[in-house]
Amino acid sequence: MPEINEFGQQVNDRVPDWQGAQLLRRVALNGHFCRLEPLDAARHAGDLFDAYASGDDSDWTWLASSKPESLDDTVRWLTGKVMDDALVPYAVICLQTERAVGIVSYMAIDQSMGTVEIGHVTWSRKMKATPLGTEAVWLLLKNGFANGYRRMEWKCDSMNLASRRAAERLGFSWEGRLRNKIVRKGRTRDSDILSIINDEWSDRDAVLRCWLAASNFDEQGRQRQPLAAFR
């Protein structure tokens, strides 16, 4: 609870024995519908080039990257992420096909403050109408909080309403908008910021676990009840 200090000022909650969060390592995270594998350009490029070919350029409007035009382009794009020590990048592997269908990363990692962002979210249309995206983010959230992070962030272009709604569906709370934050693809971008903090995670986790339960999906992989039904 907030306190009044010796100067008569209101100060916020103490964080007893805080020594920072743990290092987020590039290790596999296993779910029921998908597996997050540490991104490997050579191993995953073919699958991802094929997966992204199922969509078109409209899938990339608000992303920093553009749709890879060739397998070589895909390898170069993925290699940039693999070689970036500031990222912990993953390929999303569909367990039904054992093929990569999207990528996602931890980024903006601050161990000392216990904050990390889920970013570089690049789903293919092969993930549409499946539980893969939800489970992939749940695996990252679960792993982040298990490693002592206090705050998990999601940022998106303010025009990308689908991304903001997806984050809110998963339990992220909208915090505000950073105006004129960056210039992307020749256009200004305002960034919307959302988060889940550690005090909220138990409730968010319970909801996501209920929705992801095998019993909530029929033989065709369709949900029986929407996520909102478990809140």
Side-chain angles (χ1 to χ4, degrees):
M1 295 290 292
E3 302 172 355
I4 303 298
N5 69 9
E6 64 271 32
F7 307 110
Q9 300 163 316
Q10 189 172 31
V11 291
N12 221 322
D13 300 349
R14 293 183 180 274
V15 185
D17 304 317
W18 174 251
Q19 297 182 7
Q22 298 176 48
L23 179 68
L24 291 169
R25 302 184 183 279
R26 297 186 180 191
V27 296
L29 304 176
N30 296 292
H32 178 71
F33 301 101
C34 73
R35 178 177 65 256
L36 299 186
E37 282 186 4
L39 188 63
D40 183 293
R43 186 164 73 250
H44 298 131
D47 286 352
L48 289 168
F49 177 62
D50 177 67
Y52 296 132
S54 65
D56 57 36
D57 290 342
S58 67
D59 298 334
W60 302 76
T61 298
W62 295 290
L63 303 183
S65 305
S66 298
K67 180 184 174 184
E69 295 299 324
S70 67
L71 181 57
D72 286 344
D73 284 346
T74 308
V75 171
R76 284 191 290 270
W77 174 56
L78 298 179
T79 299
K81 298 182 187 300
V82 172
M83 299 301 293
D84 188 341
D85 291 336
L87 300 179
V88 179
Y90 285 101
V92 181
I93 309 298
C94 173
L95 294 184
Q96 282 191 330
T97 63
E98 283 295 328
R99 300 192 68 182
V101 292
I103 64 171
V104 66
S105 297
Y106 288 125
M107 60 179 288
I109 302 166
D110 188 337
Q111 281 183 255
S112 65
M113 294 295 106
T115 67
V116 60
E117 180 182 343
I118 294 174
H120 293 247
V121 181
T122 315
W123 299 158
S124 74
R125 293 196 186 183
K126 291 189 176 184
M127 297 175 67
K128 190 174 182 179
T130 77
L132 297 179
T134 297
E135 186 172 60
V137 175
W138 172 71
L139 288 170
L140 292 174
L141 290 168
K142 182 166 67 113
N143 184 61
F145 286 119
N147 278 285
Y149 287 81
R150 304 176 62 239
R151 172 185 172 86
M152 305 286 289
E153 295 181 340
W154 183 287
K155 288 205 286 285
C156 61
D157 191 308
S158 63
M159 297 295 174
N160 191 353
L161 298 182
S163 180
R164 175 174 164 179
R165 288 168 182 159
E168 290 175 331
R169 172 182 171 274
L170 292 165
F172 286 82
S173 297
W174 189 75
E175 294 183 333
R177 179 167 294 167
L178 301 178
R179 299 176 298 163
N180 284 3
K181 175 62 176 172
I182 58 176
V183 176
R184 174 164 287 170
K185 295 179 178 176
R187 297 181 184 274
T188 188
R189 165 174 150 159
D190 299 341
S191 292
D192 282 358
I193 300 181
L194 304 95
S195 73
I196 298 175
I197 61 174
N198 56 338
D199 291 344
E200 301 166 337
W201 174 235
S202 178
D203 289 342
R204 305 293 196 276
D205 183 35
V207 169
L208 290 166
R209 284 176 185 271
C210 287
W211 186 80
L212 287 165
S215 59
N216 191 42
F217 295 87
D218 64 19
E219 293 75 11
Q220 286 73 45
R222 296 172 301 202
Q223 66 176 3
R224 299 183 190 277
Q225 294 190 77
L227 189 58
F230 297 100
R231 290 198 169 96

